[in-house]
Amino acid sequence: MAKAIFHKGQRVFVKPVGTWAIVHDVVPHWVKDVAEPLRVTYELGLGRDFTAGELVSEASMNGRDTQEGEDDLEIEHWRVFRMKNRWQGQESSERHPYPGTFPVVMTDEQDWGGWRVPGAEYDRDPNRIEHQARMISTAPHMTRLIRQFAEYAGAHPENMPNELMPLARRATSILRHIFEVGDASKQAAE
């Protein structure tokens, strides 16, 4: 059975979106003849309901060092899983890097969401797809590295060699592209 962890009007950090929001409504999901709700989700006005695992309370964020808390929220643990290829056995895919399997990048803590390719596309260029899987699974760590570089360059421009300043501006531009989801959707609508 589930219990509500957050309450209406509480300010929370929404990990999948990377922004703060206010809980508009606590939504219990009931089952007939059961005394407690089966699960509880939270309506934040962001287009869908969120589970407690996707939210962090403001109090828990303030209890830790700010930089450490931001890193914990920003770094998701994406990983490459090997899935069995149902269409080709190990003997018919001997030229593949991992015969009889293909990569799937899991981007959710519960191992449901992620990235995968159709079997035919994997068969066409398995080394390229393996490379893409490794790139995608390390993207959260590369994003943190780029953010740290951009923050350092912004805070200490006198310590940055002139050759690195264009890279710092490019890093800031990339981060803006990654994190400014709301602004990009507004611009697309106009």
Side-chain angles (χ1 to χ4, degrees), residues 4-182:
I5 296 172
F6 305 102
H7 56 82
K8 188 174 181 176
Q10 183 176 0
R11 186 172 184 240
V12 293
F13 186 83
V14 187
K15 290 193 277 187
V17 181
T19 189
W20 290 93
I22 303 293
V23 176
H24 293 308
D25 202 12
V26 178
V27 183
H29 298 266
W30 296 93
V31 175
K32 186 177 181 180
D33 297 329
V34 176
E36 295 181 16
L38 188 61
R39 71 174 187 245
V40 176
T41 58
Y42 303 90
E43 201 279 305
L44 306 173
L46 296 175
R48 71 170 177 94
D49 290 351
F50 293 87
T51 62
E54 297 173 301
L55 308 175
V56 178
S57 70
E58 188 172 23
S60 67
M61 287 289 290
N62 291 336
R64 295 186 290 175
D65 177 46
T66 307
Q67 182 67 33
E68 178 186 327
E70 289 173 4
D71 283 352
D72 288 347
L73 294 171
E74 187 175 301
I75 294 298
E76 295 188 32
H77 301 286
W78 295 0
R79 57 229 163 268
V80 178
F81 273 32
R82 308 291 324 161
M83 301 295 284
K84 185 172 174 29
N85 191 334
R86 296 184 294 187
W87 301 276
Q88 290 182 326
Q90 197 165 357
E91 58 284 344
S92 63
S93 60
E94 289 177 358
R95 68 179 186 83
H96 294 177
Y98 302 93
T101 66
F102 63 95
V104 174
V105 179
M106 296 295 180
T107 59
D108 186 75
E109 293 172 5
Q110 303 299 320
D111 292 338
W112 343 347
W115 167 92
R116 64 187 72 217
V117 297
E121 185 176 342
Y122 180 75
D123 192 41
R124 192 177 69 225
D125 193 352
N127 290 321
R128 179 174 167 254
I129 301 303
E130 294 289 343
H131 174 74
Q132 288 176 355
R134 289 190 305 273
M135 290 273 298
I136 292 168
S137 67
T138 59
H141 300 286
M142 290 188 290
T143 302
R144 181 176 74 173
L145 184 64
I146 290 170
R147 183 181 55 79
Q148 289 171 343
F149 173 67
E151 286 176 356
Y152 181 82
H156 307 287
E158 67 282 355
N159 295 344
M160 294 295 290
N162 289 337
E163 298 84 23
L164 292 181
M165 289 309 287
L167 293 176
R169 285 190 290 277
R170 179 73 179 132
T172 302
S173 173
I174 290 169
L175 291 169
R176 192 172 300 121
H177 176 72
I178 292 170
F179 291 109
E180 292 184 2
V181 176

